[in-house]
Amino acid sequence: MIHGPQQGPLDDDAVLAAYPWPDEGPWVRAMMVTTLDGASAGPDGLSGSISSDSDKAVFDAVRRHADAVLVGAGTIRAEGYGAMKAKDRDAAARSAQGQAPAPVIAIVSPSLDLPFDSELFTDSTEPPIVLTTARPDADALARAREARATVVHSPGDDVPPDFVVDTLVERGLRRIVCEGGPRLLEAVTRAGLLDEADITVSPLLAGLGHASRTDGLDEVVGFDLVHVLTADGFLMCRYVRDAG
Ligand SMILES: NC(=O)c1ccc[n+]([C@@H]2O[C@H](COP(=O)([O-])OP(=O)(O)OC[C@H]3O[C@@H](n4cnc5c(N)ncnc54)[C@H](OP(=O)(O)O)[C@@H]3O)[C@@H](O)[C@H]2O)c1
């Protein structure tokens, strides 16, 4: 850690402790990696090619005590997420906090164009939650209903971020890590729901050829810097929402 409360080398437990969740209330944190030129994916269209072992260590630490991993359907289609499985090392701590053995994946997908045969759906410890519109495409809905998933419908033609967060919190899933992609993160931010941004700056330029097309925000949203970790030229920055 080069900036923050525990400056010096950190072991795995100290990295975990550097990314605490509040004891009460909903908390939505973003976990994303960006290049120096603002790309969220490398030339292969994936975030792994702009990440590192140290970034992945923080990513894993943030997930360890999360209730829900929130992602947009575009990220699921691009990244091919593996199963979200319970890990022995976390079982006792999660149980003591009244948490399920593993985080549940929550996917925002109006189209329901999702890989329902993938191990994310078939092998995750907790059945994935898919949040979609009131009346999605009938064939896609039939596929979703056959899959090992909990399908939740918003009341209208879109899936507003506040509906998403309320749905998760009503299910006791109040520690929410939003892993993107940029379109979902922008919507969550626009709705004023983001409490924390855990952003890794990767020492790479990748160009913006794979940049997601988004509408942009009407105004900037400010954050306070809590800490900066560094390894191999990567900066792992933790920011919390600027109350002012
Ligand atoms: N650098 C990083 O840390 C990081 C993290 C995640 C992803 N990525 C990269 O980002 C790219 C994908 O990101 P993306 O921005 O294109 O996609 P995304 O935000 O992951 O997903 C977009 C899709 O999610 C649904 N969605 C998102 N926001 C919505 C909203 N407000 N209301 C309703 N539905 C919403 C829609 O699903 P339907 O299509 O089903 O209608 C939409 O097409 C990939 O290249 C991935 O590798 C990078």
Side-chain angles (χ1 to χ4, degrees), residues 28-146:
V28 183
R29 71 204 311 173
M31 179 78 229
M32 297 277 291
V33 55
T34 176
T35 61
L36 298 177
D37 51 356
S40 55
D44 57 359
L46 301 175
S47 58
S49 56
I50 57 169
S51 179
S52 66
D53 288 348
S54 52
D55 174 45
K56 290 186 180 112
V58 169
F59 183 90
D60 287 346
V62 167
R63 272 190 177 188
R64 282 178 65 182
H65 294 303
D67 293 318
V69 172
L70 174 63
V71 284
T75 295
I76 295 297
R77 290 191 289 264
E79 298 274 345
Y81 267 43
M84 308 271 309
K85 294 223 185 201
K87 295 195 172 61
D88 290 344
R89 67 176 181 183
D90 297 327
R94 290 187 65 94
S95 164
Q97 297 177 80
Q99 293 186 286
V104 60
I105 186 112
I107 307 165
V108 181
S109 184
S111 76
L112 292 178
D113 175 11
L114 293 169
F116 291 114
D117 295 336
S118 69
E119 63 178 36
L120 177 64
F121 284 92
T122 59
D123 291 355
S124 289
T125 303
E126 302 294 318
I129 297 174
V130 177
L131 299 116
T132 190
T133 60
R135 281 175 295 281
D137 175 82
D139 291 341
L141 181 58
R143 281 195 297 280
R145 286 191 170 147
E146 284 168 16

